[in-house]
Amino acid sequence: MDAERLRQIPTIQEFFKIDPCEELKEGTRILLEAMVEKNIPQGEDIVTFGASNDDGMYIILSGVTDVFDAKGNKINTLFEGDFIGELGLINDDKRGATVRATTDVSCANISKALFEEIASKNRKIYGTFMNMLYTKTTKLVAEQERIKSELAVATRIQAECLENDFTSFNQYDHVKLTAAMRPAKEVGGDFYDMFMIDDKRMCFLIADVSGKGVPAAIFMSMAKTHIKNYATLGLPLAEVAQRVNNQLCYKNESGMFVTAFICVLDLETNDVTFINAGHNKPFIIDEEGRFSMIPAKVNMAFGMMEGVPYREQHLDLPKGNCIYMYTDGVTEALNTEDKFFGDDRLRHVLNEHISEAGDVDSFVKSMYDEVDAFAGDAVQADDITMVYLSRR
């Protein structure tokens, strides 16, 4: 290939340490000129997991590719200037991922055999390539450590934003309350909250932001703040929901949204006013003494459309009853056979542990244990959050 054409690509300049104002070093020029252009049609693999690395290294000249792990999960996207399989030039390992053309892709390629032939004639080329790989790897490790450090801080901040001391709520007559959130990544999009609106009304809620990771956590923080700010004003719950929705719609160019189930318990009348903004329906104990799903009507999730009205609904939560709330990380937990935990199984395990219903911490731990036992070795794909209030 034309070495002068390749040297114009910023990532090649960085990898090969090319000074745009100077002539190419002999070893770099020989290596770039030895590369050939290959065109890969949309949908075809450039490299395939488990395949030989004899085809060597690719540099994307145009187009877009997706990277998939051994199980076919998408883990990255590569664009113009990105490198594919550079380690394949110096080791005998099989390909560790699949890279597939999302569009028609043009690449510069050098096979392992050709690289070894050139390097055998000029050992400086091999040494130069190893130095460049070392530099790239060192930068990657440093960047990963920086990201890891920042995510650790984000994880701590998020944990501090969620209530973890429930003793103040348990002082109220026949109220035992607990909650837990286990993110799928370092930070998550699920959240919960509980607070007193006044001396007799207690608000408790659970919610799930679309997506995962840092963007979801930021949107989570905004949603949580808006809900509490409006609810503590003592506004009707339908108005709280409408105002929260409008705030989350404002300049929401990313298109994120929040499902939420918000409850206000009147400790004197036992009446629970609730709003279901597109969330999973909780379970309470029915007249037969068994956990059953609340027949709640569903309103639109927050952040999707401004000006949407929300409907208040009611249920009775007398002393002796309980309410279990959860996010879809519970019912959509997958096992190694790609089967969902599901609503029916959740109902079954809730009733299997109904004898623990008065011990909120034990009960929630049992629910997490049931999900974990079902999932087995499968990777947790979504945040798993539970809120549980017992009046026993």
Side-chain angles (χ1 to χ4, degrees), residues 188-192 206-211 216 220 257-261 277 279-280 301-302 326-329 332 382-383 385:
D190 284 5
F191 66 96
Y192 59 83
I206 193 167
D208 182 359
V209 177
S210 59
M220 176 217 83
F257 60 89
V258 182
T259 69
F261 204 100
H279 198 78
N280 304 76
F302 297 145
Y326 57 99
T327 57
D328 59 10
E332 294 181 8
D382 199 0
D383 306 331
T385 304

Side-chain angles (χ1 to χ4, degrees), residues 137-373:
T137 302
T138 301
K139 288 182 177 179
L140 181 61
V141 170
E143 178 66 10
Q144 289 175 335
E145 287 300 315
R146 182 188 66 79
I147 293 173
K148 183 179 179 181
S149 176
E150 291 182 355
L151 284 175
V153 174
T155 301
R156 188 174 70 250
I157 291 172
Q158 184 176 47
E160 292 170 352
C161 288
L162 296 175
E163 186 68 55
N164 56 25
D165 181 1
F166 307 99
T167 54
S168 62
F169 301 99
N170 297 341
Q171 67 178 308
Y172 295 96
D173 186 34
H174 287 84
V175 171
K176 300 172 188 174
L177 182 63
T178 193
M181 194 271 279
R182 189 169 72 192
K185 295 186 175 182
E186 288 84 352
V187 289
D190 284 5
F191 66 96
Y192 59 83
D193 205 355
M194 52 280 299
F195 49 87
M196 297 301 297
I197 297 174
D198 52 37
D199 291 342
K200 71 170 188 172
R201 289 184 297 166
M202 174 185 295
C203 181
F204 56 99
L205 61 104
I206 193 167
D208 182 359
V209 177
S210 59
K212 305 178 194 64
V214 174
I218 293 172
F219 206 71
M220 176 217 83
S221 179
M222 292 170 55
K224 182 174 179 292
T225 299
H226 289 316
I227 292 172
K228 187 168 186 177
N229 284 348
Y230 288 124
T232 51
L233 292 175
L235 300 173
L237 197 53
E239 185 175 347
V240 170
Q242 188 166 11
R243 291 194 183 197
V244 170
N245 175 60
N246 289 344
Q247 287 291 338
L248 293 177
C249 286
Y250 179 66
K251 292 187 176 180
N252 182 13
E253 297 177 2
S254 63
M256 300 186 78
F257 60 89
V258 182
T259 69
F261 204 100
I262 308 173
C263 298
V264 175
L265 168 64
D266 188 314
L267 295 168
E268 292 182 354
T269 66
N270 302 325
D271 177 68
V272 175
T273 305
F274 68 88
I275 293 285
N276 183 5
H279 198 78
N280 304 76
K281 299 174 185 178
F283 286 79
I284 61 171
I285 297 177
D286 59 25
E287 294 178 354
E288 297 179 0
R290 305 279 292 172
F291 273 106
S292 62
M293 186 180 287
I294 296 171
K297 289 182 168 52
V298 181
N299 292 144
M300 187 174 290
F302 297 145
M304 298 185 72
M305 183 183 297
E306 193 171 356
V308 174
Y310 287 85
R311 176 181 177 180
E312 290 183 5
Q313 300 174 71
H314 296 268
L315 63 87
D316 191 37
L317 194 70
K319 295 169 185 178
N321 210 322
C322 310
I323 181 168
Y324 171 81
M325 305 162 74
Y326 57 99
T327 57
D328 59 10
V330 175
T331 51
E332 294 181 8
L334 286 168
N335 63 12
T336 53
E337 298 176 353
D338 286 338
K339 293 182 178 179
F340 287 117
F341 191 80
D343 292 337
D344 290 340
R345 183 176 280 102
L346 177 56
R347 180 185 296 105
H348 176 73
V349 299
L350 284 169
N351 285 304
E352 270 197 335
H353 294 275
I354 200 166
S355 62
E356 304 170 45
D359 186 339
V360 291
D361 293 326
S362 175
F363 190 80
V364 167
K365 181 181 183 302
S366 293
M367 293 303 103
Y368 271 103
D369 289 345
E370 291 283 358
V371 174
D372 291 343

